[in-house]
């Protein structure tokens, strides 16, 4: 009897979702990562098919778990929002992140950054931006027919994909939304939200006081022998509203 030899079972490929290292090496780097990620998320909050992630492992090739990178911020157009342990490109309709940001820290070496550029060039990134907050240096690359090419002038550069504007200055990098509003830190956004809440509360209180003043005026105006129609016109109310309030 001839028995068939079964092919050896292929070991399962493990795609790690962490390397055990911190997201950032210092508070400055972390602040920039959070600011860019959150502002881009808010910019595309109403588009269900723009996925934004920070420090997420990206595996571009199925079965090759050694080919991996974790951009500080990456933006993927054409993929739904939602949580992921890692970005496995073959499970994402083969769509590579189109825009990538890296924020430098003192520990980053030139060799490391050269490898990142090669990776992003090889696996389809369309726009790649590096910002060094310590030296206040900004560099960018844009994909052409030959791969990622250096953007010669970054001042007032507008991202083709994101439509955000880069404004380097002596005080540091500023990023602006398509509507001209500056990217804000989480603290600034929280402060603005609190101020807006306070304004809304003050407006609500003013409206309540004005409504109460109209209610209080109706009996006095009736005592002055004004008609319901005259009172309605004077207070900016309908005749039915005046009648209702007069009966309360």
């Amino acid at each position: 009897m001839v028995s068939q030899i079964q092919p050896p079972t292929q070991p399962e490929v493990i795609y790690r979702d962490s390397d055990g290292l911190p997201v950032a090496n210092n508070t400055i780097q972390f602040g920039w990562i959070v600011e860019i990620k959150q502002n881009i998320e808010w910019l595309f909050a109403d588009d269900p098919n723009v996925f934004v992630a920070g420090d997420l492992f990206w595996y571009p090739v199925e079965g090759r778990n050694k080919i991996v990178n974790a951009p500080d911020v990456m933006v993927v157009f054409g993929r739904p929002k939602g949580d992921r342990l890692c970005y496995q490109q073959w499970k994402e309709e083969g769509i590579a992140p189109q825009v990538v940001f890296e924020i430098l820290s003192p520990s980053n070496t030139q060799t490391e950054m050269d490898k990142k550029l090669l990776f992003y060039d090889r696996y389809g990134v369309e726009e790649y931006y590096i910002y060094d907050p310590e030296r206040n240096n900004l560099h960018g690359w844009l994909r052409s027919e030959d791969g990622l090419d250096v953007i010669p002038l970054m001042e007032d550069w507008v991202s083709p994909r994101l439509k955000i504007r880069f404004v380097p200055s002596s005080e540091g990098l500023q990023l602006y939304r398509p509507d001209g509003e500056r990217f804000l830190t989480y603290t600034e956004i929280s402060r603005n939200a609190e101020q807006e809440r306070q304004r809304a509360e003050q407006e609500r209180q003013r409206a309540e006081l004005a409504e109460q003043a109209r209610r209080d005026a109706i009996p006095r105006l009736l005592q002055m022998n004004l008609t319901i129609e005259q009172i309605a016109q004077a207070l900016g109310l309908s005749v039915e509203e005046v009648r209702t309030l007069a009966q309360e």
Side-chain angles (χ1 to χ4, degrees):
M1 181 176 67
V2 178
S3 61
Q4 293 183 340
I5 300 176
Q6 297 296 324
T9 303
Q10 294 294 326
E12 181 184 3
V13 179
I14 304 299
Y15 300 96
R16 297 179 303 147
D17 55 23
S18 173
D19 56 8
L21 298 176
V23 174
N25 291 332
N26 56 66
T27 57
I28 297 174
Q29 184 189 28
F30 183 76
W32 273 103
I33 293 172
V34 171
E35 179 176 334
I36 292 173
K37 175 183 179 293
Q38 289 188 331
N39 277 272
I40 294 176
E41 282 182 326
W42 290 321
L43 181 60
F44 294 101
D46 295 330
D47 191 331
N49 289 309
V50 178
F51 172 65
V52 184
D55 194 47
L56 184 71
F57 275 22
W58 164 27
Y59 294 95
V61 183
E62 185 175 7
R64 304 288 299 277
N65 61 1
K66 300 296 184 183
I67 303 176
V68 60
N69 222 315
D72 285 338
V73 180
M74 69 180 191
V75 187
V76 191
F77 290 84
R79 298 305 302 149
K81 299 182 187 325
D83 295 327
R84 293 161 171 80
L85 294 178
C86 59
Y87 190 85
Q88 299 177 31
Q89 190 171 322
W90 58 94
K91 294 182 178 180
E92 307 282 354
E93 298 186 3
I95 299 177
Q98 293 94 351
V99 185
V100 163
F101 292 83
E102 293 286 356
I103 307 300
L104 294 186
S105 70
S107 65
N108 291 125
T109 65
Q110 187 60 50
T111 299
E112 177 187 1
M113 301 315 297
D114 288 343
K115 287 182 178 179
K116 285 179 180 286
L117 176 59
L118 180 62
F119 183 98
Y120 298 143
D121 189 16
R122 179 175 294 167
Y123 294 109
V125 169
E126 297 177 10
E127 301 176 41
Y128 175 34
Y129 303 104
I130 297 178
Y131 180 57
D132 182 349
E134 182 179 19
R135 296 180 175 83
N136 192 23
N137 288 334
L138 174 67
H139 300 283
W141 290 260
L142 181 66
R143 182 165 294 278
S144 68
E145 294 180 357
D146 300 322
L148 287 175
D149 287 338
V150 173
I151 300 170
L153 182 62
M154 285 301 301
E155 185 170 358
D156 282 330
W157 169 261
V158 176
S159 160
R161 276 283 189 174
L162 306 177
K163 309 303 180 187
I164 65 175
R165 184 164 57 94
F166 296 76
V167 182
S169 71
S170 59
E171 298 178 355
L173 175 64
Q174 298 287 341
L175 298 173
Y176 290 85
R177 296 162 47 97
D179 60 8
E181 292 294 323
R182 178 176 60 85
F183 273 26
L184 301 175
T185 65
Y186 179 77
T187 300
E188 290 173 323
I189 292 167
S190 297
R191 185 183 301 119
N192 290 348
E194 177 60 21
Q195 290 173 348
E196 184 60 33
R197 187 195 67 79
Q198 291 177 358
R199 281 195 293 269
E201 177 62 19
Q202 291 170 356
E203 183 59 34
R204 184 189 66 80
Q205 291 176 358
R206 281 194 294 267
E208 288 183 353
L209 290 173
E211 178 65 20
Q212 188 60 46
R214 284 196 294 247
R215 290 172 180 269
D216 294 342
I218 290 173
R220 294 196 300 270
L221 294 174
L222 288 172
Q223 291 175 1
M224 296 170 61
N225 295 322
L226 270 69
T227 65
I228 296 291
E229 290 75 11
Q230 290 172 326
I231 295 174
Q233 184 177 8
L235 298 180
L237 299 172
S238 69
V239 171
E240 288 302 320
E241 286 175 319
V242 174
R243 286 200 178 104
T244 300
L245 292 172
Q247 294 171 1
E248 291 183 354

